[in-house]
């Protein structure tokens, strides 16, 4: 089985430019810039069926096709890598950034060539100190080798790339909030339209792309879209960096064909639950995805299949709930997180999320009252899609609405017995 | 007044973006790395360099959880309180930290060495629970590991 995303990652250290090039690194830059037109690169990405790995699963090539091209296109255009990984339970981008920083630099160059972007920023969270150091060194090495800067490989096209270190806050991972952050503004989300592809950073055409998504691009350019589609178990192309955390025997990350069944990920790779614990459910792709439970164990973990059963693949890093952990307590933890990270711009999110957190706390303290579950359900409706300015609150209620459905008995027992029925906590 | 070398370092960042204000996080971080936090006086000086009003810059600075507008200790301890750490023993880790340091979230130890703050997911969930002390990541924590880490760090 091929693992293009992680093949260069070793247990210690990271490949500097000589080692990276010995394993075929920067061949994609040469291939794209010397042998392909920008639109041929975008067409290859479209044909590969690559879908965005940041959580939304939007087709990458289609997104690129909205960027104005040609001599009349506004200049400069921007390519921004969203390396602000902060979705609870998600730890895949850190692994790529620390293990293979040149992989991202090359991916940014090839993608920027397709878009004819002149400037690139890697929007990196503060906590990823090791990644920052390595990325900056990789960028300097790529400059010295002539892969960045003016007139790259004699093409007449120039590209400048730098790391932007951020200063916290989950909402900065929302693409329009991220653009405000980069402009030095208060990072609240922007209304869409206009979409960033047309009017983004500093009002210019901009593509914002997740780390893992970008890592796929050089491989598509060198090996071709058909090869890429062949990596997957479904018609969505490529491999996926899956992860598992919670009380499993072997928490970790694995690069597997897209569409790997949940059962295989949980039991073969993560080793199943720790001794004495049983599976109750999992968040398939970070905190803002609906729970999957026992009946979903044979679901293929690709964007379309997970949507069919009412959840989202999200980031593909599962968070496992065991039978000795209180689902109400887990929801309380999640809603406190979302309430704290709400930017406060729109009222439903700013006021609704703290309300859900307080209701869940009350249930945990044994102070739940009849009607509380219906109140929580109403919040799930009124904080849902279309009711708020951005996707934070709709994401926040996904685990809650599904927990209310799948773990209803536990919620009711908290009210009936006036206590947490899992006393002893997690 | 800001140190002249700090002003020079901030100046260098002003040309990295199409507008000066876009360098505001870099500028605030330079101030913070030197003084540990950003005082009103320093905020006003930085705002002038960025051609922003102090109020506007404070609106940005106070939004971020890692820009400190109040004094903090020598080392800030950021404890991940997100779901994977919560599932694997965050509460016991936090209880031990509070006990050993004698502080709650948002407080600084009497000797000024540590400030304790909550942090959202640190992206190291297969080694949960985790925390950062300054810029160092500490993983696979339990109460005993907390004691060992604090002892190795010089304690409080």
């Amino acid at each position: 089985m091929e693992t293009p995303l992680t093949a260069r990652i070793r247990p210690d250290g990271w490949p500097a430019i000589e080692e990276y090039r010995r394993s075929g690194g920067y061949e994609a830059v040469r291939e794209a810039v010397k042998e392909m037109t920008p639109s041929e690169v975008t067409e290859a990405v479209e044909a590969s069926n690559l879908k965005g790995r940041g959580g939304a699963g939007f087709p990458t090539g289609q997104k690129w096709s909205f960027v104005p091209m040609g001599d009349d296109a506004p200049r400069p255009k921007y390519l921004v890598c969203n390396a602000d990984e902060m979705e609870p339970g998600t730890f895949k981008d850190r692994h790529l950034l620390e293990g293979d920083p040149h992989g991202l630099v090359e991916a940014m160059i090839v993608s920027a060539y397709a878009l004819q972007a002149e400037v690139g920023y890697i929007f990196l969270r503060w906590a990823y100190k090791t990644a920052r150091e390595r990325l900056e060194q990789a960028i300097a090495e790529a400059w010295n080798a002539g892969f960045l800067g003016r007139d790259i490989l004699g093409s007449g096209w120039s590209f400048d790339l730098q790391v932007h270190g951020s200063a916290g806050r989950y909402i900065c991972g929302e693409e329009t909030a991220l653009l405000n952050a980069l402009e030095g503004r208060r990072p609240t989300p922007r209304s869409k339209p206009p979409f960033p592809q047309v009017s983004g950073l500093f009002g210019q055409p901009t593509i914002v792309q997740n780390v893992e998504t970008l890592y796929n691009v050089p491989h598509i350019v060198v090996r071709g879209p058909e090869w890429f589609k062949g990596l997957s178990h479904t018609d969505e192309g490529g491999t996926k960096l899956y992860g598992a955390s919670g009380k499993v025997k072997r928490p970790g990350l694995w690069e597997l064909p897209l569409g790997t069944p949940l059962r295989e990920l949980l039991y073969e790779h993560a080793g199943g639950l720790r001794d004495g614990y049983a599976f109750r459910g999992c968040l398939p792709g970070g905190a803002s995805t609906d729970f999957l439970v026992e009946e979903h164990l044979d679901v293929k973990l690709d964007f379309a299949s997970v949507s069919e059963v009412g959840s989202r693949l999200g980031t593909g890093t599962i968070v496992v709930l065991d039978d000795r952990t209180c689902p109400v307590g887990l929801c309380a933890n999640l809603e406190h997180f979302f309430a704290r990270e709400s930017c406060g711009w729109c009222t439903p999110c700013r006021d609704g999320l703290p309300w859900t957190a307080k209701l869940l706390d009350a249930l945990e303290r044994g102070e739940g009252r009849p009607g509380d579950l219906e109140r929580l359900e109403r919040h799930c409706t009124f904080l849902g899609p279309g009711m708020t300015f951005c996707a934070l609150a709709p994401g926040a209620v996904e685990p809650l609405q599904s927990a209310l459905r799948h773990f209803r008995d536990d919620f009711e027992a908290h009210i009936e017995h006036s206590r947490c029925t899992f006393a002893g906590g997690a | 007044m800001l140190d002249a070398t700090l002003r020079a370092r901030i100046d260098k960042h002003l040309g990295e973006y199409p507008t000066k204000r876009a360098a505001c996080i870099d500028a605030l971080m330079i101030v913070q790395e030197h003084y540990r936090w950003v005082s009103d006086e320093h905020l006003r000086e930085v705002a002038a360099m960025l051609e922003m009003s102090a109020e506007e810059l404070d609106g940005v600075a106070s939004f971020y959880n890692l820009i400190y507008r109040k004094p903090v200790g020598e080392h800030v301890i950021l404890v991940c309180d997100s779901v994977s750490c919560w599932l694997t023993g965050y509460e016991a880790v936090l209880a031990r930290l509070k006990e050993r340091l004698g502080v709650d979230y948002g407080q600084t130890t009497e000797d000024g060495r540590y400030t304790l703050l909550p942090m959202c997911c640190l992206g190291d969930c297969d080694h949960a629970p985790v925390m950062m002390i300054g810029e160092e990541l500490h993983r696979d924590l339990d109460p005993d590991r907390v004691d060992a880490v604090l002892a190795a760090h010089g304690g409080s």
Side-chain angles (χ1 to χ4, degrees):
Chain A
M1 193 186 70
E2 288 184 275
T3 53
L5 299 177
T6 53
R8 292 189 176 100
I9 299 180
R10 41 187 167 84
D12 288 305
W14 58 284
I17 196 160
E18 303 79 31
E19 183 183 340
Y20 183 77
R21 292 187 72 175
R22 273 200 301 277
S23 61
Y26 288 107
E27 275 312 304
V29 174
R30 192 169 300 279
E31 177 71 24
V33 172
K34 292 277 202 193
E35 310 291 338
M36 297 168 84
T37 64
S39 58
E40 282 172 343
V41 177
T42 298
E43 282 158 22
V45 173
E46 264 192 293
S48 77
N49 259 340
L50 170 64
K51 291 190 168 182
R53 307 295 200 235
F58 193 83
T60 305
Q62 195 187 339
K63 187 164 162 183
W64 292 8
S65 72
F66 300 138
V67 173
M69 297 297 290
D71 295 339
D72 299 338
R75 304 274 166 199
K77 292 189 268 187
Y78 293 99
L79 173 64
V80 179
C81 172
N82 185 346
D84 204 40
E85 182 168 68
M86 238 180 276
E87 181 68 28
T90 302
F91 50 107
K92 63 188 183 67
D93 294 341
R94 179 202 279 269
H95 184 67
L96 295 170
L97 295 166
E98 290 184 356
D100 186 20
H102 273 292
L104 181 65
V105 175
E106 178 170 24
M108 294 276 298
I109 298 168
V110 173
S111 306
Y113 173 76
L115 305 163
Q116 291 291 288
E118 289 90 345
V119 183
Y121 293 107
I122 299 168
F123 190 96
L124 185 68
R125 70 177 294 191
W126 177 91
Y128 285 7
K129 293 293 174 188
T130 303
R132 176 153 194 172
E133 213 172 276
R134 293 176 183 182
L135 281 168
E136 283 180 340
Q137 197 177 326
I139 289 171
E141 289 177 343
W143 268 94
N144 291 337
F147 296 122
L148 281 171
R150 297 193 65 76
D151 191 23
I152 293 166
L153 304 182
S155 63
W157 169 67
S158 303
F159 182 56
D160 183 10
L161 178 62
Q162 72 174 75
V163 177
H164 170 92
S166 188
R169 290 270 94 101
Y170 174 74
I171 195 62
C172 292
E174 197 280 339
E175 76 171 355
T176 60
L178 184 151
L179 296 176
N180 276 337
L182 263 176
E183 290 185 14
R185 298 175 192 282
R186 199 170 161 90
T188 52
R190 298 176 180 177
S191 72
K192 293 191 269 194
F195 288 91
Q197 295 92 311
V198 178
S199 177
L201 189 60
F202 303 107
Q204 300 296 110
T206 304
I207 285 288
V208 182
Q209 213 78 67
N210 163 261
V211 170
E212 185 187 355
T213 311
L214 287 166
Y215 269 87
N216 287 289
V217 174
H219 301 289
I220 294 169
V221 164
V222 172
R223 311 283 297 272
E226 287 311 310
W227 166 84
F228 189 75
K229 281 196 278 191
L231 295 172
S232 163
H233 287 330
T234 70
D235 61 358
E236 296 165 359
T239 58
K240 177 80 191 77
L241 205 44
Y242 292 105
S245 66
K247 292 197 194 80
V248 294
K249 282 203 181 100
R250 291 190 299 272
L253 282 171
W254 305 273
E255 184 181 358
L256 302 169
L258 192 59
T260 295
L262 174 56
R263 187 186 299 278
E264 181 187 326
L265 175 64
L266 178 62
Y267 289 101
E268 284 180 35
H269 302 285
L273 277 287
R274 291 183 196 168
D275 291 335
Y277 293 88
F279 175 78
R280 278 208 84 196
C282 73
L283 303 166
S288 40
T289 54
D290 290 85
F291 276 96
L292 297 181
V293 293
E294 189 82 29
E295 67 186 272
H296 302 122
L297 279 172
D298 292 311
V299 168
K300 287 180 175 178
L301 295 175
D302 59 72
F303 293 100
S305 305
V306 181
S307 294
E308 272 170 33
V309 296
S311 183
R312 295 188 302 116
L313 178 62
T315 59
T317 42
I318 66 171
V319 177
V320 178
L321 170 68
D322 57 270
D323 63 336
R324 287 160 61 182
T325 297
C326 177
V328 180
L330 188 143
C331 287
N333 173 274
L334 295 175
E335 299 313 321
H336 275 287
F337 165 81
F338 286 113
R340 184 177 73 196
E341 299 302 327
S342 169
C343 79
W345 180 260
C346 73
T347 308
C349 180
R350 181 185 61 236
D351 287 354
L353 289 174
W355 196 345
T356 63
K358 281 178 193 164
L359 284 167
L360 291 162
D361 282 350
L363 289 174
E364 280 290 86
R365 283 196 310 267
E367 295 165 14
R369 289 172 304 171
D372 277 356
L373 305 192
E374 291 70 22
R375 263 183 285 279
L376 285 169
E377 279 167 339
R378 270 204 302 283
H379 277 85
C380 292
T381 302
F382 289 111
L383 292 172
M387 301 294 192
T388 58
F389 198 71
C390 83
L392 186 138
V397 297
E398 283 181 34
L400 180 59
Q401 69 190 8
S402 49
L404 282 165
R405 214 166 48 241
H406 296 305
F407 312 122
R408 189 83 186 181
D409 292 349
D410 296 303
F411 280 83
E412 284 172 352
H414 278 63
I415 297 177
E416 193 184 325
H417 301 294
S418 295
R419 64 180 171 83
C420 174
T421 42
F422 287 76
Chain B
M1 276 290 284
L2 277 176
D3 194 277
T5 50
L6 295 184
R7 294 184 70 93
R9 281 180 59 203
I10 293 170
D11 268 329
K12 260 181 59 186
H13 283 280
L14 298 184
E16 285 179 354
Y17 304 90
T19 62
K20 287 184 177 177
R21 66 176 300 152
C24 71
I25 300 301
D26 301 296
L28 291 167
M29 279 296 183
I30 286 170
V31 173
Q32 184 165 293
E33 277 161 22
H34 189 82
Y35 299 100
R36 291 194 218 153
W37 67 296
V38 181
S39 66
D40 288 351
E41 185 199 341
H42 291 149
L43 182 103
R44 277 195 292 271
E45 272 188 76
V46 171
M49 292 179 78
L50 299 169
E51 294 167 7
M52 293 168 80
S53 74
E55 290 73 15
E56 209 177 359
L57 182 59
D58 201 17
V60 178
S62 60
F63 190 94
Y64 290 98
N65 54 314
L66 296 171
I67 290 173
Y68 306 130
R69 290 284 285 114
K70 289 178 186 170
V72 294
E74 215 174 310
H75 308 280
V76 176
I77 302 183
L78 300 166
V79 188
C80 177
D81 63 1
S82 292
V83 63
S84 303
C85 287
W86 180 84
L87 276 161
T88 50
Y90 148 80
E91 283 167 340
V93 165
L94 179 66
R96 182 61 64 90
L97 275 167
K98 286 182 175 176
E99 182 193 326
R100 289 287 182 256
L101 299 174
V103 294
D104 206 336
Y105 272 146
Q107 296 176 340
T108 299
T109 54
E110 268 180 28
D111 61 2
R113 271 181 67 76
Y114 299 106
T115 297
L116 190 66
L117 292 174
M119 180 69 171
C120 83
C121 185
L122 279 167
D124 201 32
C125 317
D126 51 344
H127 290 280
V130 299
M131 66 176 177
M132 289 180 84
I133 302 184
E135 298 192 354
E136 288 166 27
L137 182 68
H138 298 275
R139 38 192 356 207
D140 299 309
L141 297 173
D142 58 32
D144 290 345
R145 275 282 297 150
V146 167
D147 285 347
V149 166
L150 286 179
H153 204 262
S156 186

